[in-house]
Amino acid sequence: MTISTRQLKTDCRHFRGDIPCKPSKLYNVHCVDELGNDCKHYDRTGKRILIIKLGALGDVIRTTPILHKIKASEPDAEIWWLTLVPDVLPKTLDQILTFTPQSVATLMATEFDIVYNLDKDKEACALCAGIRAKVKKGFTLRNGKCAPIDAAAEHKFLTGVFDDLSKTNVKSYQEEIFEICGYAFAGEQYIMPPIKEFPWKLPKGKSVVGLNTGCGGRWTSRLWAEKNWAALAKRLRSAGCVPLLLGGEQEHAKNLRLKKASGATYPGHFPLPQFLSEVDQCDLVVTAVTMGMHFAIGLGKKIVLFNNIFNKHEFELYGKGEILEPDFDCNCYYAPVCPNDCMQYLSVDTVFDSCKSLLNLPTKRSAKR
């Protein structure tokens, strides 16, 4: 069969241009058959939409709820996403591009109907400024500096440049980015990567409480003292729970010490897919603002969230958790190091009581005198 380039269905969702599409490889079909009929796998796309959200990993995951709205309002759209962490994005996207020179070259040679740039980093803003698109939303680069594209992005922009405005904000991150994109947030959930099965050997019939003991190296002001984690693990064990220590390589030595001191379970630290599966074993996760927090939220886990340096309204827990802050009026807002070590004013009793409440654990009665 002969076919001309004029018969190609370049607007088909499956069409690649550089290699055969999947239906062609699987079923040996062309865009049209000998009778001139369209391929039965032809899936015509509508608008071409680009989302720019580079990182960090947790921020990318908590941006995925916007896909629900985009797909609902533009069901035929061809959706692209540019990121630094492609492994956590849903495979239902039409194009997932890693932020590389090759991807930038591709984007600069492609015209989009809509670009949503939800990053304020200069490289993301510069790229948004240079890409051809009929509509742009979010942030761009003007005279070498980040700037809001329109009024919808001004709130998020201004809270990022003035701490006093940031502190008075009562919108969640999801509410803010939905507004930037022209939508209203209505509780849309994270879209998580598939969970792989691993042979976890955890006791059956007991509540598993993940203790995510680290917070990364950027803002160590969020760290809770090691002695507090040990005390909490002991309290949880006494209540019939299984405390499961979570963390990465940076927390490994600490978690080994905590295992020895408290009897908590610690199977080790793992690559991303296995860590995601480990968090999925938990009924509740106690954590600071970390990647593990976003995994717990995305997996629908109950959560006790420690916060001392951010605006608590930023975090959407979907009604499944509680945000705990130190009983201390500190001035360490967005500070990498807290001069007062204010996390010492978040007590083990407060955290344990929150865990009991969320897990509906029975309260022990005081002995009669």
Side-chain angles (χ1 to χ4, degrees):
M1 175 184 175
T2 59
I3 186 170
S4 73
T5 54
R6 289 177 296 176
Q7 294 174 297
L8 295 178
K9 302 295 184 182
T10 58
D11 60 351
C12 177
R13 198 174 303 278
H14 304 294
F15 186 82
R16 288 289 305 271
D18 55 337
I19 60 174
C21 68
K22 187 173 290 185
S24 180
K25 290 291 288 185
L26 291 174
Y27 310 112
N28 194 31
V29 293
H30 288 187
C31 297
V32 296
D33 61 21
E34 292 91 341
L35 300 177
N37 299 314
D38 289 344
C39 170
K40 66 179 182 179
H41 303 284
Y42 176 42
D43 183 2
R44 184 177 181 178
T45 56
K47 292 180 179 179
R48 185 178 298 114
I49 297 174
L50 171 65
I51 299 170
I52 301 174
K53 185 61 183 176
L54 303 181
L57 190 149
D59 273 349
V60 170
I61 291 176
R62 70 170 174 170
T63 304
T64 57
I66 195 65
L67 291 172
H68 295 293
K69 277 287 198 275
I70 294 175
K71 287 179 180 291
S73 62
E74 301 288 348
D76 299 324
E78 179 184 327
I79 304 175
W80 299 37
W81 192 313
L82 180 71
T83 184
L84 291 165
V85 285
D87 291 344
V88 300
L89 286 174
K91 305 309 178 194
T92 52
L93 288 163
D94 295 287
Q95 296 279 346
I96 299 175
L97 300 180
T98 304
F99 189 41
T100 64
Q102 294 87 344
S103 294
V104 171
T106 299
L107 294 173
M108 297 303 290
T110 305
E111 185 171 359
F112 293 89
D113 292 284
I114 308 173
V115 172
Y116 297 114
N117 175 31
L118 304 174
D119 255 333
K120 292 187 281 187
D121 294 336
K122 285 185 178 180
E123 57 270 31
C125 292
L127 186 59
C128 180
I131 289 176
R132 291 175 295 150
K134 297 173 184 175
V135 176
K136 295 181 181 181
K137 304 287 286 182
F139 306 100
T140 188
L141 201 69
R142 294 186 187 135
N143 299 319
K145 297 176 182 178
C146 172
I149 291 174
D150 57 19
E154 286 184 1
H155 172 82
K156 183 68 172 170
F157 175 75
L158 289 172
T159 58
V161 295
F162 297 111
D163 274 356
D164 58 327
L165 295 182
S166 178
K167 289 177 181 179
T168 59
N169 173 48
V170 293
K171 296 179 181 180
S172 70
Y173 171 83
Q174 284 77 16
E175 288 178 289
E176 290 179 315
I177 65 162
F178 273 57
E179 288 179 7
I180 288 172
C181 298
Y183 301 111
F185 178 64
E188 287 80 5
Q189 302 283 325
Y190 289 26
I191 302 175
M192 297 296 290
I195 307 298
K196 296 182 179 179
E197 294 293 330
F198 293 93
W200 302 106
K201 296 179 181 179
L202 295 170
K204 304 294 184 182
K206 292 186 175 183
S207 294
V208 177
V209 180
L211 304 182
N212 194 27
T213 62
C215 67
R218 184 178 178 185
W219 286 304
T220 55
S221 49
R222 300 172 292 166
L223 282 172
W224 204 39
E226 196 169 314
K227 64 179 182 180
N228 291 339
W229 286 112
L232 177 62
K234 290 178 181 178
R235 298 278 293 276
L236 289 167
R237 289 186 66 207
S238 296
C241 299
V242 179
L244 175 64
L245 298 169
L246 305 173
E249 184 176 2
Q250 188 174 343
E251 290 75 42
H252 181 60
K254 178 202 293 186
N255 284 344
L256 285 174
R257 293 192 299 270
L258 287 170
K259 176 183 179 180
K260 183 177 181 180
S262 68
T265 300
Y266 178 56
H269 63 90
F270 307 101
L272 194 65
Q274 195 166 353
F275 179 66
L276 183 62
S277 174
E278 184 180 24
V279 174
D280 196 39
Q281 308 309 303
C282 302
D283 297 287
L284 179 148
V285 175
V286 182
T287 180
V289 178
T290 61
M291 175 186 72
M293 174 199 76
H294 289 296
F295 281 0
I297 294 171
L299 293 169
K301 303 300 174 182
K302 295 178 180 178
I303 184 168
V304 174
L305 177 59
F306 296 168
N307 178 58
N308 63 328
I309 66 170
F310 304 122
N311 182 326
K312 66 180 180 181
H313 297 289
E314 176 183 341
F315 307 107
E316 176 59 64
L317 304 186
Y318 296 93
K320 293 188 175 181
E322 184 176 9
I323 298 174
L324 301 181
E325 297 184 327
D327 186 18
F328 184 83
D329 186 14
C330 196
N331 59 354
C332 62
Y333 197 64
Y334 275 87
V337 178
C338 177
N340 303 302
D341 185 23
C342 67
M343 284 299 291
Q344 68 179 301
Y345 299 103
L346 177 58
S347 72
V348 175
D349 285 344
T350 298
V351 179
F352 180 63
D353 286 345
S354 182
C355 292
K356 285 196 302 180
S357 175
L358 288 167
L359 292 171
N360 295 315
L361 297 178
T363 301
K364 292 183 179 179
R365 295 182 179 180
S366 301
K368 292 182 179 180
R369 295 184 179 180

